[in-house]
Every structure is written in C-alpha cells, then in structure tokens.
C-alpha cells in the first residue's frame, strides 16, 4: 500500500493562485501498472470553481490581448526551457500516471517543448491583409483578433502534447484559457501549466481545473464567457459538447478513429508487419491514429499474418518505467474492461483470435491493467471489431482480393482520421492519397505520428472538419477577422 505521507496534494490554478476546490474534496491519480501506487491527489472541482476560472480568464483577456507578440514569445521560450530542464522527472511522472514507456514519455515532453517554441515563432507572423478599394480615398485592410476565453479539454493518452498543441496557439494569438485535463493524467498537465506560470504568464491568462466531467463539463462549455471550445476525446462526448455550446461559441473537436493499413501484393510482409505493430501496439494501442485494421491482399495475407504474430510474440510487456519494456498497461480499469469485452465480441462474431487477447495477471502484472496484444484473422468488414473504435492493442486483419476492394473496405467506416498504405506502386499510391477518406495519409509509414508543424485532423465522425490542429492552420481557430474601411 502507498504510504500516506508520501502522497502530495496538488491544487487548481485560478487567477494566478494555487487554490483548493470549493468542494473541499480530492481524487487520486494512480499508476496503471501498479494500482496501489498513488501518483497524487487532485482537486475534485465543481461548477463554482469553473465559474471563478472563467471570470479570471475573462478579466485577464482585456490586458493579455494587447501584450506584444515578442513578449508572448519570450514566455513560451522560457516555458520550453523549463520543461526540458526537468525532462527526466516529468517523463518518469508521465509514465507513472499514464503507463506508456519511459522512452515514449521523454519523446512527448521534448515534443511539447518544441511545440511551444514553434508557436513562439509563428505568433510573430499573425497578420491580416490589405485589399484593393474602388474609392481612392479609402484604405481597406483586415486584422486578426483573438476570440476571448478558450476552454481546453484534453484526454489522457497524450497528456502533455495534446494540451500544448491547443494551449500554445490559443495563448500566442492573445486568448486566455481555462484548461481541464483528463482525471487519469492530471500531474503532467499541471507540470505544463507550472512551466507557463513560472515563465511569467500573467495571472488569469491560464487557469487550471481538475475534476470529473460530470461536475465541471457543463460550465466549461456553456459559460457565457466561453468564445471557443477545443476538445479531444470520445465521439460521444464530442457530440454532446457540440449540442451544448452557445450559437456564438466556436468548436473544435478531434474524436475517434478506425484507422486502416492497406498491405498490397508488392509489399514486404516483414516491413508491413513492423508498420502494423508500431501503429497498432505501441502506446498499447491507445492512440486515436492507431492502426486497428490491416487490410491485406490475398497473395501476401498468410505471410503478413505470420510475420505479425512472430513479431508480436517478441514484444516485452510490463511497467513502462522499466528498461526494455515495449508495451505498457492500459490506462485504467475501464480501458481494460472495454478491450477485453471487444475481444469477446470479436470471438462471438466469428473472427479467429490468432494470437493474444488475454489479461496478464500474477507477478509484476498483479496490480496493473495489462493485456496481451490481440490479432484477429478471418475478420469481415461488417464486424463490430472492424467498425468500432476499441482504443486498445487489437488489430483486425481483413483479407481482400483487389485494390478496389481494399479501398472500399478502408472507407466503409464512420471515421476518417489516419490511413496508411504499404506499396511501391506509384499509381496506387496516388489513387490512395486522392481517394482515401482520411485527414491524415501515410505511405509506407505507420498510421501514428504527426509533426507539430503539420495540420492534424480528420473527416467524417473523426473531427468537426472545420479547423485543423497543429501547424499554422491551428492559429485560424483562435482568431477572427475584422475588416477595416479607413477613409482619408
């Protein structure tokens, strides 16, 4: 059992002050690899806390919107340095509360610092345009202005990199933020907020609230001060947010995926299997861009499956903080229950469980949420395991007889986030790029992985398909255009 005195209690940040919740209650964040290891206690916030944060953000907006881009950039650069200065500590904390491997955690913290620096620079280039006028006595131009208070709600699977790619463009364009992270991973989110706070962000510009969606969610999206909501999470939660917001509130939703890897007859089965494992099993399959369907041509199907099973057998599963571990635990008990339920659904539908799928218990696995990565064969496109997002280490292999059939199967889902193809055929590559219904397209690369300067988002039920995250395009979501007619 965890020693009581070693568990630290962390607070909310409202108007530049670290404060307790008005509920006088806390909740625990636990290590998914060892449930008895309590990472910390966090504030169980309620609507009244959200209201205070909103009011602080609304007040701060009046001055922050006028701060020079150069000054904002200085704060971002300093915050990035602060993150990197404690890279080892923050990576260990991230692994301890989320479960991913230490190498993945280090990469995520580094990426977050890079994202801060990227937007520090891009914030210097936000500008309108000068337009022609038929009247020589009138100058016409546009200027880009911030929206106001932005609500940021983020998931637990990338608990610092997703928040920073939302918060950084919001702040650098002059908005203020109320940020609620996932309750499974509040500590690394707090570390990001601490870095921004310590770097000199004025009081109220960023406000940090922890707690359940049931107690905070409604106020976070319906408060009159909210001018925009950016959310990454489940499709059902995203739909609920879209229906709840005011008409004048801008919404950005990044939701689910059912991402395919197409394996053509000219593909190297070994390479294709590596891509499937990297996309489907790294991060324990808990990525919205994770590979969940391998759509494989008849001629290479058996060799691909054999290579996939052999490589999966060699994966080292365990506590992500230990050296050599490649697959960590699922993030929480609910995730474990959901993944195991889908494995039973797959077997019940008539798919063949070719490998894995069992919960790992005993020894080092006794207190964690571990499952062996699962590979299903004899999967048909209409099966639930081929249609619904599982968000775990489960790959469904679908056999096809032609490229046309592969494309049809790939597009025949409600999601459209990321898709990849493994081939050297330039004509097929071009057709795939042009016709796959997906916001992110990969060629001979895994479905996962996105550069911070490249736009990110999906189509169909994967996204609102309005404003993209990441890259310069992300700045558009957080700004509005004002048209000016200046008479002489």
């Amino acid at each position: 059992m965890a020693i009581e005195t070693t568990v630290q209690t962390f607070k909310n940040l409202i108007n530049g002050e670290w404060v307790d919740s008005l509920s006088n209650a806390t909740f625990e964040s636990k290590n998914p690899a060892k449930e008895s290891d309590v990472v910390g206690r966090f504030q169980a916030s309620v609507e009244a806390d959200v209201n205070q944060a909103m009011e602080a953000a609304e007040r701060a907006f009046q001055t922050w919107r006028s701060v020079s881009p150069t000054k904002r950039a200085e704060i971002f650069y300093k915050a990035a340095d602060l993150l990197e200065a404690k890279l080892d500590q923050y990576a260990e904390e991230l692994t301890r509360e989320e479960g991913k491997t230490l190498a993945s955690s280090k990469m995520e913290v580094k990426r977050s610092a890079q994202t801060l620096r990227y937007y520090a620079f891009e914030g210097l280039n936000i500008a309108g345009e000068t337009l022609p006028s038929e009247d020589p006595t009138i100058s016409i131009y546009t200027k880009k202005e911030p929206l106001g208070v932005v609500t940021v709600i983020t998931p637990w699977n990338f608990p610092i990199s997703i928040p920073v790619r939302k918060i950084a463009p919001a702040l650098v364009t002059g908005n203020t933020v109320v940020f609620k992270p996932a309750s499974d991973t509040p500590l690394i989110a707090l570390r990001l907020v601490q870095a921004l706070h310590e770097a000199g962000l004025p009081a109220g510009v960023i406000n940090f609230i922890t707690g359940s969606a049931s107690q905070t969610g409604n106020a976070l999206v319906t408060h009159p001060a909210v001018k925009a909501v950016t959310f990454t999470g489940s499709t059902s939660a995203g739909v609920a947010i879209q229906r709840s917001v005011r008409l004048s509130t801008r919404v950005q939703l990044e939701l689910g995926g059912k991402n395919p890897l197409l394996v053509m007859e000219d593909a190297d089965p070994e390479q294709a299997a590596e891509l499937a494992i990297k996309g489907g099993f790294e991060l324990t399959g808990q990525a919205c861009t994770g590979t969940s369907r391998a759509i494989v041509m008849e001629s290479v199907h058996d060799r691909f499956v054999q290579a996939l099973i052999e490589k999966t057998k060699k994966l080292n599963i365990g506590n992500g903080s230990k050296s050599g571990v490649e697959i960590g635990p699922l993030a929480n008990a609910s995730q474990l229950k959901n993944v195991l339920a889908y494995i039973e659904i797959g077997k019940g539908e008539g798919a063949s469980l070719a490998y894995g799928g069992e919960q790992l218990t005993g020894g080092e696995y006794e207190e964690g949420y571990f499952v062996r990565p699962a590979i299903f064969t004899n999967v048909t496109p209409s099966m639930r395991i081929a249609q619904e997002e599982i968000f775990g280490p489960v790959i469904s292999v679908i056999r096809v007889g032609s490229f046309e059939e592969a494309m049809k199967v790939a597009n025949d889902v409600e999601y459209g986030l990321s898709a990849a193809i493994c081939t050297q055929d330039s004509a097929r590559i071009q057709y795939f790029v042009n016709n796959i219904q997906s916001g992110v397209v990969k060629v001979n690369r895994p479905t996962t992985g996105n550069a911070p300067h490249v736009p990110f988002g999906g189509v169909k039920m994967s996204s609102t398909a309005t404003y993209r995250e990441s890259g310069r395009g992300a700045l558009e979501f957080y700004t509005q255009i004002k048209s000016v007619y200046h008479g002489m």
Side-chain angles (χ1 to χ4, degrees):
M1 297 296 291
I3 301 173
E4 185 74 17
T5 56
T6 66
V7 180
Q8 186 174 350
T9 298
F10 298 91
K11 299 186 178 185
N12 290 335
L13 180 68
I14 298 178
N15 198 35
E17 300 291 334
W18 295 100
V19 296
D20 293 327
S21 167
L22 296 171
S23 70
N24 294 314
T26 61
F27 67 93
E28 294 180 339
S29 174
K30 298 180 179 181
N31 184 343
K34 187 178 181 182
E35 191 177 16
S36 62
D37 177 22
V38 179
V39 177
R41 293 192 180 91
F42 296 84
Q43 302 303 308
S45 302
V46 292
E47 187 170 312
D49 297 303
V50 176
N51 291 339
Q52 286 189 349
M54 291 292 174
E55 291 164 7
E58 192 170 28
R59 289 192 301 270
F61 174 66
Q62 302 309 317
T63 53
W64 178 247
R65 65 180 302 179
S66 301
V67 172
S68 71
T70 303
K71 178 59 178 176
R72 293 176 192 154
E74 288 175 0
I75 294 171
F76 276 36
Y77 284 125
K78 186 174 181 180
D81 292 344
L82 289 171
L83 286 180
E84 288 187 338
K86 294 186 176 181
L87 174 63
D88 290 341
Q89 175 192 333
Y90 291 170
E92 288 172 2
E93 289 175 346
L94 199 168
T95 290
R96 190 174 160 215
E97 72 172 350
E98 198 277 342
K100 65 181 62 178
T101 66
L102 194 56
S104 294
S105 293
K106 286 184 177 180
M107 188 181 304
E108 184 172 347
V109 176
K110 284 182 180 179
R111 178 191 178 96
S112 299
Q114 292 169 354
T115 300
L116 284 171
R117 294 190 180 105
Y118 170 77
Y119 281 112
F121 175 78
E122 287 297 335
L124 303 176
N125 298 298
I126 300 168
E129 58 181 343
T130 301
L131 301 168
S133 171
E134 293 183 358
D135 185 343
T137 67
I138 297 178
S139 295
I140 303 175
Y141 62 93
T142 65
K143 56 184 298 189
K144 292 184 177 180
E145 296 186 335
L147 303 175
V149 179
V150 176
T151 291
V152 175
I153 306 173
T154 57
W156 43 259
N157 58 334
F158 292 95
I160 185 169
S161 64
I162 289 179
V164 80
R165 79 182 188 206
K166 295 174 182 290
I167 292 170
L171 295 181
V172 81
T173 49
N175 301 280
T176 54
V177 166
V178 176
F179 169 36
K180 194 198 89 68
S183 294
D184 284 304
T185 52
L187 181 55
I188 193 63
L190 179 141
R191 298 306 190 198
L192 169 62
V193 173
Q194 279 182 328
L196 290 166
H197 180 63
E198 292 172 13
L201 207 62
V205 174
I206 188 166
N207 301 274
F208 176 75
I209 296 286
T210 57
S212 68
S214 64
Q215 294 296 313
T216 62
N218 184 65
L220 284 167
V221 302
T222 64
H223 192 282
V226 177
K227 296 299 184 288
V229 177
T230 176
F231 168 83
T232 297
S234 70
T235 299
S236 59
V239 170
I241 289 172
Q242 182 75 70
R243 290 173 176 170
S244 299
V245 297
R246 299 158 67 93
L247 179 64
S248 58
T249 301
R250 191 173 286 187
V251 179
Q252 179 184 62
L253 306 175
E254 292 301 335
L255 310 174
K258 195 65 182 174
N259 313 295
L261 169 67
L262 278 64
V263 182
M264 298 293 98
E265 60 263 50
D266 67 332
D268 177 353
E270 295 286 329
Q271 179 194 23
E274 289 284 357
L275 294 179
I277 287 171
K278 185 171 182 62
F281 295 154
E282 277 194 5
L283 304 168
T284 323
Q286 299 173 126
C288 55
T289 55
T291 303
S292 59
R293 296 179 295 153
I295 302 170
V296 187
M297 295 288 278
E298 176 79 38
S299 60
V300 292
H301 176 275
D302 291 351
R303 286 180 291 156
F304 169 80
V305 170
Q306 181 180 1
L308 184 62
I309 292 174
E310 289 176 354
K311 292 177 184 297
T312 302
K313 285 180 178 179
K314 296 177 182 178
L315 295 174
N316 187 3
I317 305 168
N319 189 320
S321 63
K322 293 184 178 180
S323 177
V325 168
E326 297 163 284
I327 305 291
L330 292 161
N332 52 50
S334 177
Q335 279 294 105
L336 176 63
K337 181 179 178 181
N338 184 65
V339 170
L340 294 175
Y342 268 107
I343 289 168
E344 292 305 311
I345 287 169
K347 292 190 290 186
E349 289 180 310
S352 301
L353 184 57
Y355 179 76
E358 71 272 20
Q359 181 179 357
L360 300 177
T361 58
E364 64 175 309
Y365 303 122
E366 188 61 34
E367 290 190 65
Y369 309 122
F370 294 95
V371 64
R372 195 177 303 281
I375 299 168
F376 278 102
T377 57
N378 296 319
V379 177
T380 60
S382 62
M383 289 180 178
R384 288 180 62 187
I385 59 169
Q387 289 288 324
E388 300 173 10
E389 185 178 43
I390 300 173
F391 219 66
V394 181
I395 292 178
S396 297
V397 182
I398 303 172
R399 187 194 303 252
V400 293
S402 67
F403 176 56
E404 292 73 21
E405 183 184 1
M407 288 294 298
K408 182 177 184 297
V409 171
N411 285 331
D412 190 24
V413 292
E414 66 176 349
Y415 299 107
L417 185 54
S418 183
I421 189 169
C422 195
T423 184
Q424 300 302 318
D425 188 321
S426 59
R428 283 184 171 175
I429 290 171
Q430 196 61 44
Y431 187 90
F432 178 76
V433 169
N434 290 336
N435 293 280
I436 192 69
Q437 296 169 8
S438 181
V440 178
V441 180
K442 303 289 192 75
V443 178
N444 296 317
R445 290 294 182 270
T447 57
T448 51
N450 299 281
H453 66 288
V454 178
F456 174 78
V459 299
K460 299 194 285 190
M461 290 300 289
S462 288
S463 174
T464 40
T466 48
Y467 298 91
R468 290 294 190 239
E469 289 192 340
S470 297
R472 290 179 178 174
L475 299 170
E476 299 300 321
F477 175 72
Y478 299 101
T479 57
Q480 55 194 348
I481 295 174
K482 179 178 283 184
S483 299
V484 180
Y485 296 76
H486 188 167
M488 305 301 179

